Amino acid sequence: MFLNTLTPKFYVALTGTSSLISGLILIFEWWYFRKYGTSFIEQVSVSHLRPLLGGVDSSTPSNSNSSNGEADSNRQSVSECKVWRNPLNLFRGAEYNRYTWVTGREPLTYYDMNLSAQDHQTFFTCDSDHLRPADAIMQKAWRERNPQARISAAHEALELEESSKPLLSCSCATAYILLAEEEATTIMEAERLFKQALKAGDGCYRRSQQLQHHGTQYEAQHRRDTNVLVYIKRRLAMCSRKLGRTREAVKMMRDLMKEFPLLSMFNIHENLLESLLELQNYADVQAVLAKYDDISLPKSATICYTAALLKARAVSDKFSPEAASRRGLSTAEMNAVEAIHRAVEFNPHVPKYLLEMKSLILPPEHILKRGDSEAIAYAFFHLQHWKRVEGALNLLHCTWEGTFRMIPYPLEKGHLFYPYPICTETADRELLPTVFHEVSVYPKKELPFFILFTAGLCSFTAMLALLTHQFPELMGVFAKAFLSTLFAPLNFIMEKVESILPSSLWHQLTRI
């Protein structure tokens, strides 16, 4: 009786409302998946509904062995997702800001610049800075978020030093560093300021070196002065490299690595590798790789892909995929392919940039090893070196995708390295400007079931609403027939129950 009273307008309203609600759910699910990489419904189901239904609580360790294994895997994940300072980072004033002036885009994210501010406070300040007025000004300058406020503070510190006429202090050196990094609009101007910083920083370093054993305060000052001096010399070498004086840059980097062999946090060897490749001095590149491509040292895309480039260089000019498929790979070709597979397993994002399948952007000031940020930083500086080696990119194009057949489940088990960390996408979205750059994701994530389900539901109900609106009478007949068929088993059961139960009892039940 109830079904016969329903009009076509009811079916149009029902299907239209269902389509609208499922469409809103689909839009929210898609936005949440693009932002966080998982389905909201699935996450809520696993996090909240599963424990209520008697699922295993992942926070409760089952035994000591499993808890130790989880702790080891978590420790490995955290260490692999550590953010590193980009050894080839550009100059803010002379390069990043010029890009902003031309394009109107900000190449650096707030998260990236905040990490740089923390680095600067670690490298260029110490606890005793508040005892000296100029050093106290620079200590506040490194904490400033506004670039103009930082530059003004650096000028104020320099004016204070000049008015008091002391020996050149470390505040002079760090003030010149800040001006060279952020105020200088050309590399030549930055180099001039860094040379002034070197004059001040070298004097501070020599004085603090003599006093470093007089107490913890002097030891901290010496450590700070060492960081300042190494930073200045490294940036001067980078200025020489950018201005075309590559041999001079190589000499400065070698001297710096010889003078401070323990300061590996700056990764100066990666600057040296890039400069040697520019000189096409492949024998010295191999010597540097032999020292730093060691199993006990942390890897990087620069080390892995440079090693692959050197091995590809030996065979790439004569390599032909057709000939290789007929006769098989020679020993040298096999070594080159294995080196490429090793590099791609370490960072699978690099080949798309080297093969120009994905557009490059300016590299960030910090990178995540094995992530998209590291791939951009490597390809930005090394693409020219791959192009210079005849056939190297062709060999890479023919072989790089074969890596993925060797590691079908990269998040669970690797071949030559640890499993690929799952945290790279989240960190890269913080480091890279996602407004105009699409972050590369590996491995590609399949759409969650609930997105597909809501998409199908939305499409189906929208189609029903359209058909009901266009053919109300016909769709009304179909709807009544469908509902009658759907409720037929229930009606059959009700009739059987009525025939079995006494009529008086059934009457009392219906009244209840």
Side-chain angles (χ1 to χ4, degrees):
M1 186 67 182
F2 170 72
L3 297 178
N4 294 330
T5 61
L6 299 180
T7 63
K9 290 184 179 180
F10 169 79
Y11 295 111
V12 173
L14 176 64
T15 52
T17 305
S18 302
S19 177
L20 176 62
I21 294 174
S22 56
L24 293 176
I25 295 174
L26 173 63
I27 293 172
F28 175 77
E29 274 281 290
W30 178 254
W31 169 82
Y32 195 88
F33 175 73
R34 294 285 294 178
K35 187 172 179 65
Y36 299 105
T38 185
S39 167
F40 175 77
I41 300 176
E42 182 179 346
Q43 186 178 12
V44 170
S45 302
V46 173
S47 303
H48 301 287
L49 298 182
R50 186 181 178 188
L52 295 176
L53 296 176
V56 178
D57 187 2
S58 59
S59 62
T60 305
S62 58
N63 53 59
S64 60
N65 293 333
S66 63
S67 62
N68 291 337
E70 289 174 4
D72 292 339
S73 63
N74 291 338
R75 194 179 303 114
Q76 170 197 329
S77 176
V78 170
S79 65
E80 288 204 359
C81 290
K82 175 185 175 182
V83 176
W84 300 71
R85 188 162 182 85
N86 181 6
L88 295 168
N89 65 306
L90 305 177
F91 294 85
R92 283 198 190 176
E95 293 174 304
Y96 286 121
N97 286 349
R98 290 169 70 89
Y99 176 82
T100 303
W101 298 336
V102 173
T103 64
R105 294 174 173 177
E106 290 290 343
L108 298 176
T109 63
Y110 172 77
Y111 176 70
D112 192 14
M113 291 188 288
N114 188 47
L115 290 175
S116 296
Q118 295 175 22
D119 291 341
H120 295 153
Q121 293 175 51
T122 303
F123 294 153
F124 305 145
T125 64
C126 63
D127 294 336
S128 61
D129 283 348
H130 67 279
L131 301 176
R132 297 172 294 278
D135 288 337
I137 292 174
M138 286 308 302
Q139 192 175 41
K140 292 180 180 178
W142 293 118
R143 296 173 181 168
E144 282 285 350
R145 293 185 179 181
N146 188 346
Q148 291 303 319
R150 289 197 296 270
I151 293 171
S152 299
H155 283 294
E156 182 183 351
L158 288 176
E159 290 172 1
L160 185 61
E161 287 293 320
E162 290 177 2
S163 63
S164 58
K165 296 293 182 184
L167 292 172
L168 288 172
S169 71
C170 191
S171 61
C172 279
T174 55
Y176 282 125
I177 288 175
L178 194 149
L179 295 178
E181 291 284 355
E182 301 196 19
E183 188 181 42
T185 56
T186 63
I187 300 298
M188 294 182 67
E189 186 180 353
E191 184 182 38
R192 178 182 61 80
L193 290 168
F194 273 121
K195 286 181 178 179
Q196 292 178 278
L198 178 62
K199 184 178 179 182
D202 192 47
C204 289
Y205 173 75
R206 295 183 187 281
R207 287 197 303 275
S208 64
Q209 190 176 28
Q210 298 172 357
L211 301 173
Q212 61 176 315
H213 302 297
H214 290 196
T216 55
Q217 175 181 334
Y218 293 101
E219 184 180 353
Q221 288 182 18
H222 177 64
R223 186 164 54 250
R224 186 270 309 273
D225 293 342
T226 302
N227 290 336
V228 169
L229 185 62
V230 172
Y231 186 90
I232 293 170
K233 289 187 174 183
R234 172 174 163 270
R235 293 304 257 178
L236 277 172
M238 294 178 68
C239 287
S240 298
R241 167 69 183 91
K242 292 175 185 293
L243 294 172
R245 305 194 304 269
T246 310
R247 294 187 184 279
E248 179 184 339
V250 168
K251 183 180 184 305
M252 295 172 69
M253 292 173 192
R254 288 188 185 278
D255 293 342
L256 187 56
M257 293 168 66
K258 190 179 298 182
E259 186 178 0
F260 302 98
L262 300 179
L263 287 181
S264 59
M265 58 184 173
F266 290 103
N267 291 326
I268 304 172
H269 61 276
E270 296 197 8
N271 298 82
L272 179 61
L273 283 173
E274 195 279 327
S275 298
L276 290 173
L277 286 172
E278 176 64 21
L279 294 174
Q280 301 184 44
N281 195 340
Y282 297 111
D284 285 356
V285 172
Q286 185 61 59
V288 175
L289 285 177
K291 183 178 180 180
Y292 289 96
D293 193 3
D294 186 81
I295 192 171
S296 62
L297 297 175
K299 296 291 182 292
S300 67
T302 300
I303 289 176
C304 293
Y305 277 90
T306 302
L309 176 61
L310 291 189
K311 292 189 177 180
R313 176 175 169 268
V315 298
S316 60
D317 57 336
K318 299 178 182 178
F319 178 78
S320 170
E322 294 80 10
S325 62
R326 288 196 305 268
R327 58 172 171 78
L329 295 174
S330 64
T331 303
E333 290 173 339
M334 184 64 71
N335 291 335
V337 171
E338 289 177 353
I340 290 175
H341 286 173
R342 172 178 180 259
V344 174
E345 181 184 353
F346 182 83
N347 194 317
H349 309 281
V350 172
K352 288 188 176 181
Y353 294 107
L354 292 179
L355 298 173
E356 299 180 273
M357 301 165 62
K358 205 171 188 316
S359 59
L360 275 172
I361 60 172
L362 293 186
E365 292 184 336
H366 290 80
I367 59 173
L368 183 70
K369 288 192 175 183
R370 307 187 74 177
D372 191 30
S373 52
E374 184 192 34
I376 292 171
Y378 172 79
F380 186 86
F381 294 98
H382 288 261
L383 176 58
Q384 57 181 329
H385 307 315
W386 279 81
K387 287 183 175 181
R388 190 177 292 126
V389 177
E390 183 182 355
L393 290 176
N394 178 48
L395 180 60
L396 177 68
H397 175 72
C398 296
T399 57
W400 74 280
E401 290 183 327
T403 309
F404 306 128
R405 291 192 291 271
M406 301 164 52
I407 42 175
Y409 305 104
L411 298 179
E412 300 174 9
K413 184 179 180 182
H415 180 61
L416 297 174
F417 299 100
Y418 286 117
Y420 191 79
I422 60 176
C423 59
T424 55
E425 181 186 357
T426 304
D428 279 332
R429 290 190 186 280
E430 296 287 340
L431 289 171
L432 298 173
T434 55
V435 176
F436 56 89
H437 174 73
E438 183 180 355
V439 175
S440 178
V441 179
Y442 174 81
K444 281 291 184 182
K445 294 182 178 178
E446 297 180 358
L447 287 177
F449 165 76
F450 287 105
I451 289 183
L452 300 176
F453 175 76
T454 51
L457 181 63
C458 177
S459 303
F460 179 69
T461 52
M463 182 182 66
L464 285 181
L466 179 63
L467 291 175
T468 306
H469 178 71
Q470 293 293 329
F471 311 103
E473 299 295 336
L474 183 60
M475 291 302 295
V477 173
F478 277 122
K480 291 176 181 178
F482 173 75
L483 293 176
S484 299
T485 306
L486 185 65
F487 287 109
L490 182 60
N491 293 331
F492 177 77
I493 294 173
M494 294 295 292
E495 291 176 358
K496 289 296 184 181
V497 171
E498 288 180 3
S499 61
I500 294 174
L501 292 176
S503 58
S504 59
L505 178 60
W506 182 249
H507 180 67
Q508 293 296 327
L509 290 175
T510 54
R511 290 184 62 184
I512 295 174

